[in-house]
Amino acid sequence: MRILLLSALVAHASATRLLDNNLVYRSPFLKDISLAHDTPAIQARHIQHVRRQMSDAAPFDDQHYPTFYGADFGNSPFIWTGGINFTHSVASGDPFDTSVLLWTRAVPVSPSGTTQLPDQSVPVCVAYKISTSPTLEGRIVDSGQAFTSYDVDFTVKVEASGLKPDTEYHFQFSDCSSPSSVSPIGKTRTIPNPNTPANQVNNGHPLTLAVFSCSQFQAGWFNAYGFAAHNTSAQFFVHLGDYIYESLGNGAAIGRQTLGRELATIHDYRQRLNQYRTDASLVFAHQNAPWITVCAGFDDHEVADNAWKAGTADSNDTTVGCSFSASGACFTDRKLAAVRAYHEWMPIRQVDADDKFRIWRNFQMGKLLDLTMLDTRQYDRDLTDVYYNTEFVNTIADFSNRSLMGTAQEKWFFDTLSESRARGAVWRVVGQQIVFTQLNESGSFDLDAWDGYRANRLRVLDHLYSNSIQNTVILAGDSHANWVSDLARTSLDTAIYQVKLN
Ligand SMILES: *[C@@H]1O[C@H](CO)[C@@H](O)[C@H](O)[C@H]1NC(C)=O
Ligand SMILES: *[C@@H]1O[C@H](CO)[C@@H](O)[C@H](O)[C@H]1NC(C)=O
Ligand SMILES: *[C@@H]1O[C@H](CO)[C@@H](O)[C@H](O)[C@H]1NC(C)=O
Ligand SMILES: *[C@@H]1O[C@H](CO)[C@@H](O)[C@H](O)[C@H]1NC(C)=O
Ligand SMILES: *[C@@H]1O[C@H](CO)[C@@H](O)[C@H](O)[C@H]1NC(C)=O
């Protein structure tokens, strides 16, 4: 009763509060409704279009849902009370030192004995709570409620705050209208405060990052995720991109076939993410550790093969923003759909309210390290190798005006490296999508990697060398192989580079 009353009071202040609590409606970009949702419009729809008691309801088994905000029926939506299925367990991600994002999916259950979809105009309400207790029986550190609906594929993303740095937490969602109906319990943690001395991070125990890339559903079971979650002590799971693949495939040998078609529309991307997240190892890994995919979650295949800022190999638009691919979708629309579905399904934040595609950002994990995540793929990348232009890209690969990140991100990257050194962090770990080192495979180079942007690579090395920034590790995904290289900038590099420029 007290909770309902409180809701009524707060609701008076903001009728869309419970929609806004679900960050999925606001991501990735609140200011552009092609990339977010107009929550006042959804709230108005909920109030106007649900069936209210206008006819006799005996027996009382039709869709007469309870209103949610108590006395103020002027803006009170009905909520779904027919049961929730937490179809994809729980996940968490993008940890700060005092907050973390919690994720679930709350699908209304069809009325028993039917497969009919429940009334789609009714919001589904979930509650969440977080505690240091593995059974959530101890003190609840933060809790709240949020709505979801078909507009966001019934996904839920809330921010739990007021947490202690470098601390493990447990969390759970439940059905507001039936609190005993609960999701699995998830495990997550915050990152250390930036000033925590290096030897005190993770209570003085080694800090372990589990790093992934290139996970293709039909190509194999995701037991690498399961191994990291079950058999290692990794505190944070970092994904460097190609979390899904847009292409079709039939892994006949293991009996896994991708559903749908080559991804182009919002339905396609949602369906693919949904299917990937049925893999038991992936579900377990999301349930048991916070993921940092914010800045590296995108490589090409989250949109389409060999993507750059204005096209992909598939849509074959090398100079203009919008040409049509084999799938029939304009590249721009395809990218919007991919980005939106990704933000629905992944526990990632909107980084900058004024920069809609920005996912590059930095995590200061005490004085031990800076985890700097870049977008070398989608954000502002100049033309890449889209197969028919390989020879051409080869002739421009050395141009100093070619950029993988765009000017703004490159400046931010260099500043972040310098700041990391200045604040005394021991390590700099850079998470990004594509292979940084030069890989000379019998005279040919992967021009879709940093080898296609050589002057940009030298700018990075120059910045590290001229500012005496030590202990920098650059991680990469994309290449389906395990390479380890010493990134020393030798005088030979300089010589080769200068010869090529000449
Ligand atoms: C809940 O969702 C799971 C996964 O989609 C499904 O297997 C199960 O049958 C659903 N349960 C109900 C009661 O709808
Ligand atoms: C990993 O953990 C699982 C679950 O605890 C266990 O069954 C398995 O044997 C472990 N594998 C290895 C290689 O340690
Ligand atoms: C893509 O466009 C280029 C340049 O117009 C053309 O040469 C090439 O054949 C096209 N490729 C495909 C697959 O349509
Ligand atoms: C980039 O630099 C190359 C080589 O200096 C030059 O030929 C080309 O015109 C430049 N492109 C742009 C867009 O400035
Ligand atoms: C790449 O390797 C080939 C031999 O396979 C060699 O001829 C060439 O000089 C190398 N290129 C660079 C830039 O090191």
Side-chain angles (χ1 to χ4, degrees):
M1 255 316 174
R2 256 167 53 211
I3 292 172
L4 276 182
L5 190 61
L6 191 66
S7 296
L9 291 174
V10 180
H12 189 68
S14 165
T16 62
R17 183 180 59 94
L18 289 165
L19 287 163
D20 294 330
N21 281 354
N22 183 356
L23 300 175
V24 175
Y25 288 110
R26 307 160 72 87
S27 60
F29 191 61
L30 190 55
K31 295 180 184 171
D32 179 345
I33 60 162
S34 68
L35 283 168
H37 292 270
D38 182 353
T39 51
I42 292 175
Q43 163 76 2
R45 186 193 73 204
H46 286 160
I47 292 171
Q48 282 161 18
H49 297 294
V50 294
R51 288 170 56 193
R52 301 204 176 236
Q53 291 198 40
M54 294 188 296
S55 57
D56 181 30
F60 195 70
D61 62 356
D62 63 355
Q63 292 162 341
H64 289 193
Y65 311 97
T67 55
F68 195 66
Y69 293 135
D72 180 7
F73 50 78
N75 63 17
S76 62
F78 290 67
I79 61 164
W80 171 251
T81 57
I84 288 176
N85 189 352
F86 294 98
T87 56
H88 289 75
S89 191
V90 296
S92 71
D94 210 0
F96 286 168
D97 56 347
T98 59
S99 73
V100 65
L101 296 187
L102 311 179
W103 182 97
T104 194
R105 185 160 179 264
V107 180
V109 173
S110 300
S112 78
T114 74
T115 54
Q116 112 201 30
L117 278 174
D119 186 335
Q120 296 287 294
S121 58
V122 178
V124 173
C125 178
V126 296
Y128 64 91
K129 57 184 178 177
I130 185 166
S131 159
T132 53
S133 151
T135 51
L136 287 144
E137 278 155 3
R139 190 176 77 85
I140 299 304
V141 181
D142 192 22
S143 62
Q145 293 166 325
F147 281 176
T148 187
S149 61
Y150 73 88
D151 309 82
V152 291
D153 206 14
F154 297 108
T155 55
V156 179
K157 189 158 64 179
V158 294
E159 179 169 16
S161 54
L163 310 180
K164 278 199 281 215
D166 210 7
T167 303
E168 189 174 291
Y169 286 95
H170 302 267
F171 64 97
Q172 187 173 45
F173 291 89
S174 61
D175 181 341
C176 299
S177 72
S178 173
S180 62
S181 165
V182 293
S183 74
I185 293 177
K187 188 172 90 178
T188 189
R189 60 175 295 132
T190 48
I191 63 172
N193 178 281
N195 295 321
T196 305
N199 63 5
Q200 287 172 30
V201 164
N202 194 24
N203 288 313
H205 301 298
L207 185 78
T208 308
L209 307 179
V211 179
F212 306 93
S213 70
C214 308
S215 30
Q216 190 173 40
F217 188 80
Q218 67 271 27
W221 305 100
F222 289 161
N223 41 36
Y225 292 138
F227 184 83
H230 283 289
N231 307 97
T232 77
S233 62
Q235 283 80 35
F236 299 102
F237 281 38
V238 176
H239 204 289
L240 300 175
D242 290 348
Y243 177 86
I244 60 167
Y245 278 72
E246 84 288 2
S247 51
L248 280 178
N250 180 3
I254 59 165
R256 275 184 155 186
Q257 183 155 13
T258 46
L259 298 172
R261 55 175 183 168
E262 179 172 330
L263 309 182
T265 65
I266 184 79
H267 169 80
D268 298 336
Y269 285 101
R270 284 172 173 169
Q271 182 186 39
R272 188 63 51 87
L273 284 156
N274 182 324
Q275 184 182 21
Y276 272 53
R277 290 278 277 276
T278 61
D279 179 279
S281 294
L282 180 55
V283 170
F284 189 80
H286 272 298
Q287 187 186 338
N288 283 283
W291 284 50
I292 296 178
T293 67
V294 188
C295 308
F298 286 123
D299 193 15
D300 50 342
H301 293 288
E302 278 86 352
V303 180
D305 192 27
N306 282 20
W308 59 291
K309 68 185 172 191
T312 75
D314 177 67
S315 50
N316 198 23
D317 41 359
T318 48
T319 51
V320 292
C322 183
S323 73
F324 288 84
S325 68
S327 57
C330 162
F331 170 70
T332 309
D333 282 348
R334 193 175 188 187
K335 183 164 170 173
L336 291 180
V339 169
R340 183 182 238 176
Y342 190 84
H343 276 261
E344 289 171 349
W345 279 81
M346 300 299 286
I348 60 169
R349 297 174 192 261
Q350 178 184 343
V351 182
D352 180 344
D354 291 313
D355 193 347
K356 58 182 129 186
F357 285 127
R358 174 170 170 182
I359 53 171
W360 32 282
R361 56 187 294 149
N362 190 52
F363 297 83
Q364 296 180 333
M365 302 213 179
K367 300 271 189 199
L368 182 62
L369 66 100
D370 279 77
L371 177 62
T372 305
M373 307 297 272
L374 301 178
D375 184 346
T376 52
R377 180 59 79 175
Q378 307 285 352
Y379 183 74
D380 200 6
R381 173 181 175 143
D382 287 327
L383 176 67
T384 191
D385 175 5
V386 288
Y387 307 133
Y388 67 85
N389 64 351
T390 306
E391 271 319 301
F392 173 67
V393 174
N394 203 22
T395 65
I396 63 171
D398 281 327
F399 284 5
S400 59
N401 54 14
R402 273 170 66 68
S403 177
L404 263 175
M405 294 178 267
T407 317
Q409 184 182 183
E410 186 170 316
K411 179 179 184 311
W412 172 88
F413 177 40
F414 292 169
D415 290 349
T416 302
L417 290 169
S418 295
E419 192 193 329
S420 172
R421 178 184 184 275
R423 77 183 191 86
V426 180
W427 293 94
R428 280 140 290 286
V429 179
V430 180
Q432 53 90 50
Q433 291 85 348
I434 49 177
V435 173
F436 184 84
T437 196
Q438 175 181 286
L439 274 183
N440 183 351
E441 296 172 89
S442 311
S444 76
F445 298 88
D446 179 1
L447 300 173
D448 187 48
W450 285 80
D451 272 329
Y453 303 77
R454 289 167 211 148
N456 200 162
R457 178 170 58 206
L458 282 170
R459 285 200 295 278
V460 175
L461 293 171
D462 281 343
H463 183 81
L464 294 174
Y465 273 73
S466 58
N467 295 285
S468 303
I469 301 173
Q470 313 283 343
N471 286 359
T472 302
V473 177
I474 301 185
L475 305 172
D478 193 52
S479 82
H480 303 196
N482 192 20
W483 311 96
V484 180
S485 312
D486 184 350
L487 295 178
R489 185 196 199 290
T490 63
S491 53
L492 187 64
D493 287 329
T494 314
I496 289 166
Y497 175 57
Q498 281 169 353
V499 167
K500 278 184 175 278
L501 273 185
N502 296 341

